[in-house]
């Protein structure tokens, strides 16, 4: 199994508070991603990173920011959480130079966030 | 834009064969993935198709027709542990490696 850990795994917070989710990998993979998964929507990309300090927006980036100061860590921040951000958040990694035939994604175990 | 369609739910009997279809309309195409996700767990990689045809891997096979924008995942000799959601995802290419996912098909295997 790919070495990906997410923290916290569960969090309950109140509307308007800041929240940071952390993804840590031990695989030295170049690409890291944050997805959210909601019933009826499937997995949707929030932001991704293609290297240290190199990030870009995904499909549903509004209300989220990210940072990657080290290869192994990718942080997702909700500056002011809203109830619509209640979701399960998955971090994923890939490196087409390693998984050269596919560039497949390896997922972390997910972080369940509830915003009251 | 990107559009990936797959059935929401399917039910099949233990020991049987089931086919889960996926159709896609994307701005580019650089491969199609199938992932399996058990309830409360992370998705795990099942298969990858980039050329037309059938890829077989044990009890699971995946087929791709690029001209039709169509793929299917075939599960043979169904087992209870195959009850899960199956996610179709397309890599549209163009220099990034992000995947666009369908909403997933929840498969229930019954005795």
């Amino acid at each position: 199994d790919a070495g990906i850990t997410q923290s916290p795994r569960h969090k309950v917070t109140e509307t308007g508070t800041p929240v940071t989710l952390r993804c840590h990998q031990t695989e030295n993979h170049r690409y890291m991603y944050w997805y959210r998964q909601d019933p009826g929507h499937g997995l949707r990309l929030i932001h991704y990173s293609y290297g240290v300090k190199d990030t870009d927006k995904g499909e549903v980036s509004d209300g989220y920011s990210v940072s990657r100061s080290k290869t192994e860590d990718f942080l997702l921040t909700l500056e002011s959480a809203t109830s619509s951000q209640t979701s399960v958040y998955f971090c994923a990694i890939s490196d087409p130079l390693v998984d050269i035939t596919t560039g497949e994604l390896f997922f972390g175990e997910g972080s369940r966030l509830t915003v009251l | 834009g990107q559009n990936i369609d797959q059935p929401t739910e399917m039910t099949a009997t233990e020991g049987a064969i089931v086919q889960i279809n996926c159709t896609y309309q994307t701005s580019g195409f650089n491969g199609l993935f199938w992932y399996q996700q058990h309830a409360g767990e992370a998705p795990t990689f099942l298969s990858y198709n980039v050329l037309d045809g059938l890829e077989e891997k044990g009890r699971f096979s995946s087929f791709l027709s690029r001209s039709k924008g169509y793929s299917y995942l075939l599960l043979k000799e169904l087992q209870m542990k195959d009850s899960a959601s199956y996610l179709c995802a397309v890599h549209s290419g163009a220099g990034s490696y992000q995947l666009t996912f369908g909403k997933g098909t929840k498969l229930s295997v019954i005795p």
Side-chain angles (χ1 to χ4, degrees), chain B residues 35-51:
Chain B
Y35 281 80
Q36 180 190 60
Q37 185 178 25
H38 287 99
E41 298 183 7
T44 55
F45 171 77
L46 281 179
S47 69
Y48 170 72
N49 295 72
V50 66
L51 299 176

Side-chain angles (χ1 to χ4, degrees), chain A residues 97-113:
Chain A
L97 294 180
V98 174
D99 307 297
I100 199 166
T101 57
T102 69
E104 71 185 82
L105 295 181
F106 298 95
F107 286 87
E109 295 175 317
S111 296
R112 182 175 295 275
L113 176 66

Side-chain angles (χ1 to χ4, degrees), chain A residues 9 31 33 35 37 40-43 45 48 57-59 90 94 96 101-109 112, chain B residues 30 33 35 37 40-48 50 85 87 91 95-104:
Chain A
R9 295 289 314 282
Y31 289 82
Y33 311 79
Y35 283 87
Q37 188 173 39
H41 289 277
L43 281 161
L45 182 66
Y48 67 99
K57 297 178 180 180
E59 177 189 356
F90 284 100
S94 74
T101 57
T102 69
E104 71 185 82
L105 295 181
F106 298 95
F107 286 87
E109 295 175 317
R112 182 175 295 275
Chain B
N30 201 32
F33 294 77
Y35 281 80
Q37 185 178 25
E41 298 183 7
T44 55
F45 171 77
L46 281 179
S47 69
Y48 170 72
V50 66
S85 289
L87 315 180
H91 173 207
S96 75
Y97 294 93
Q98 55 183 294
L99 298 185
T100 301
F101 284 82
K103 295 177 182 179

Side-chain angles (χ1 to χ4, degrees), chain A residues 15-110:
Chain A
T15 298
T17 60
V19 175
T20 295
L21 305 180
R22 179 181 184 239
C23 179
H24 178 77
Q25 61 144 330
T26 58
E27 305 296 321
N28 201 35
H29 277 34
R30 180 181 172 194
Y31 289 82
M32 299 185 76
Y33 311 79
W34 277 107
Y35 283 87
R36 61 178 288 174
Q37 188 173 39
D38 305 287
H41 289 277
L43 281 161
R44 293 179 291 173
L45 182 66
I46 305 170
H47 281 280
Y48 67 99
S49 169
Y50 45 97
V52 173
K53 295 191 164 78
D54 292 323
T55 65
D56 206 349
K57 297 178 180 180
E59 177 189 356
V60 290
S61 60
D62 288 349
Y64 301 94
S65 63
V66 291
S67 66
R68 191 166 178 202
S69 59
K70 299 184 290 185
T71 298
E72 56 266 35
D73 289 327
F74 193 33
L75 304 181
L76 177 71
T77 297
L78 292 66
E79 299 290 349
S80 177
T82 67
S83 58
S84 65
Q85 294 175 312
T86 292
S87 187
V88 179
Y89 292 86
F90 284 100
C91 174
I93 65 174
S94 74
D95 196 324
L97 294 180
V98 174
D99 307 297
I100 199 166
T101 57
T102 69
E104 71 185 82
L105 295 181
F106 298 95
F107 286 87
E109 295 175 317

Side-chain angles (χ1 to χ4, degrees), chain B residues 10-28:
Chain B
M10 300 182 70
T11 301
T13 304
E14 191 177 14
I17 300 173
V18 70
Q19 177 175 312
I20 302 174
N21 296 324
C22 172
T23 58
Y24 63 90
Q25 295 169 307
T26 57
S27 54

